[in-house]
Amino acid sequence: MDVKKKEKKLVGILGYGKVGQILVERILTEGDRLGLQLAFVWNRSSICNKVPSSVAIVEQLQDIEKFQIDLIVEVCHPNVINQNGEFLLKYADLLIGSTTALADDECYERLNQVAITFNRRILLARGALWGGNDIQRMARQNMIESVRIKMTFHPESLRLGKGPMKLLTDKVNLERDIHSNSRVLYEGSVRQLCKLAPNNVNTMATAALLGIGFDRTIGCLVADRSLVDHHRIEIEVIGSQTVNAQGDKLRPFQVKTIRLSPTSKESNVSSNQTIEAFWQSILGNYSNPFFLFALQNAF
């Protein structure tokens, strides 16, 4: 009996930093077995001397229209999603790594409308978020009162540009007193933090999108010199107030997780497990990522 061979999913990668390089390598080495084929790679700067000769390089993002694509994976910068997300969705489903871009209401709405118009899927990579399915499930049932996420990094792994928080991390690096190893850089609305640290808090943004929104989700970003081989992510979810049949208030549901994500060096923005989560988000028929446009309570 002849069995029709399953067609491969054609994947384009936007971004050729550490995450992008590993995703490209794994598609090239494992794609045949897993039903994936690399369509192209694009990067914001020139990468011609770094990419294997067998890989198609797109120099201008507009040139992707020349390719047949099933899925575009973005692992470069939130500006790419904000400025080009609508264009990308015209050609393929879009798996977003830089979810902080969606803290911009206008960007979110624009992408959502294009996804509906062209029957595309907007997907969120799992990244470093633990318990995302539970947050999503509870949010859909209006069972969450609050979500708080604390992320702690070594100062050298923070990419904060030249803003006020960058000055704080520089001070953490300069101070050698044992009592000043760590410093809280920000605590408050995740929406505002996405603007201040767009490259480091995608986990917070994803949780906000799946849960109770950017304004109600509280983020805390900490720089700590002692975290030389891992990132630390703490998530606390408190459920809505419930009552029993007699009208008595019950103790609210509460869960707290602490994730220590190993890194090979203190300057790494993404941990080893985060990169693996990106890869798992690509596999199969995209069964592992979160579906963004299906959310009802993102904002």
Side-chain angles (χ1 to χ4, degrees):
M1 179 179 176
D2 292 333
V3 179
K4 186 177 179 180
K5 187 175 181 180
K6 185 178 179 181
E7 292 185 1
K8 292 180 182 178
K9 297 294 182 182
L10 297 169
V11 182
I13 303 293
L14 305 185
Y16 201 64
K18 180 180 179 181
V19 177
Q21 290 174 31
I22 292 175
L23 295 181
V24 166
E25 179 184 0
R26 295 192 70 167
I27 293 175
L28 291 176
T29 56
E30 303 178 46
D32 283 342
R33 176 174 60 86
L34 298 169
L36 300 174
Q37 182 176 329
L38 185 64
F40 65 82
V41 176
W42 173 87
N43 196 56
R44 292 191 297 161
S45 58
S46 177
I47 52 172
C48 293
N49 61 338
K50 299 179 182 179
V51 180
S53 58
S54 61
V55 175
I57 299 175
V58 171
E59 294 188 0
Q60 302 294 326
L61 201 55
Q62 288 71 22
D63 290 340
I64 70 168
E65 61 186 4
K66 301 175 183 178
F67 293 83
Q68 182 182 355
I69 329 162
D70 294 301
L71 176 68
I72 296 173
V73 180
E74 177 277 318
V75 284
C76 44
H77 195 279
N79 285 348
V80 174
I81 295 300
N82 201 312
Q83 298 169 9
N84 302 284
E86 295 165 273
F87 170 77
L88 299 170
L89 282 167
K90 293 179 181 179
Y91 298 97
D93 292 341
L94 179 60
L95 175 59
I96 299 176
S98 302
T99 52
T100 53
L102 300 173
D104 182 332
D105 281 350
E106 183 182 350
C107 176
Y108 176 91
E109 293 300 335
R110 284 191 282 109
L111 267 60
N112 198 41
Q113 287 303 312
V114 174
I116 293 171
T117 301
F118 288 87
N119 194 29
R120 302 297 185 191
R121 293 183 291 179
I122 301 175
L123 307 155
L124 307 180
R126 291 184 177 274
L129 180 64
W130 187 263
N133 288 109
D134 295 304
I135 293 173
Q136 184 180 44
R137 172 183 56 80
M138 291 184 65
R140 286 178 172 176
Q141 299 177 72
N142 294 317
M143 294 174 59
I144 296 181
E145 178 62 30
S146 67
V147 178
R148 184 178 186 275
I149 306 178
K150 179 180 178 181
M151 300 183 70
T152 307
F153 299 89
H154 189 281
E156 290 187 16
S157 69
L158 292 167
R159 303 290 183 264
L160 302 174
K162 298 180 181 179
M165 292 209 299
K166 178 64 166 61
L167 296 176
L168 287 175
T169 59
D170 290 343
K171 190 173 183 180
V172 173
N173 273 329
L174 289 171
E175 293 174 345
R176 293 304 173 189
D177 185 343
I178 189 65
H179 300 297
S180 58
N181 259 343
S182 69
R183 183 183 295 272
V184 174
L185 305 179
Y186 174 94
E187 184 166 6
S189 147
V190 166
R191 188 185 299 279
Q192 181 63 22
L193 184 51
C194 287
K195 300 175 183 178
L196 296 170
N199 298 306
N200 287 101
V201 297
N202 289 303
T203 297
M204 295 187 187
T206 302
L209 286 160
L210 295 173
I212 57 177
F214 286 99
D215 296 312
R216 291 179 58 196
T217 304
I218 301 301
C220 179
L221 184 63
V222 179
D224 190 331
R225 283 204 319 271
S226 69
L227 269 64
V228 295
D229 60 358
H230 69 281
H231 302 157
R232 182 182 177 97
I233 304 167
E234 302 170 54
I235 302 175
E236 183 177 38
V237 178
I238 298 178
S240 302
Q241 183 69 63
T242 58
V243 296
N244 60 19
Q246 291 73 40
D248 301 319
K249 291 183 178 181
L250 302 177
R251 182 185 181 91
F253 168 87
Q254 185 174 1
V255 63
K256 184 173 183 178
T257 62
I258 300 176
R259 171 175 174 154
L260 305 183
S261 293
T263 61
S264 54
K265 57 183 179 179
E266 58 197 27
S267 61
N268 284 346
V269 177
S270 299
S271 68
N272 302 337
Q273 288 300 315
T274 298
I275 296 173
E276 180 63 28
F278 270 95
W279 173 241
Q280 292 299 323
S281 293
I282 295 174
L283 296 184
N285 189 27
Y286 325 145
S287 57
N288 290 298
F290 300 106
F291 290 78
L292 175 58
F293 71 84
L295 300 181
Q296 300 299 318
N297 301 309
F299 291 91

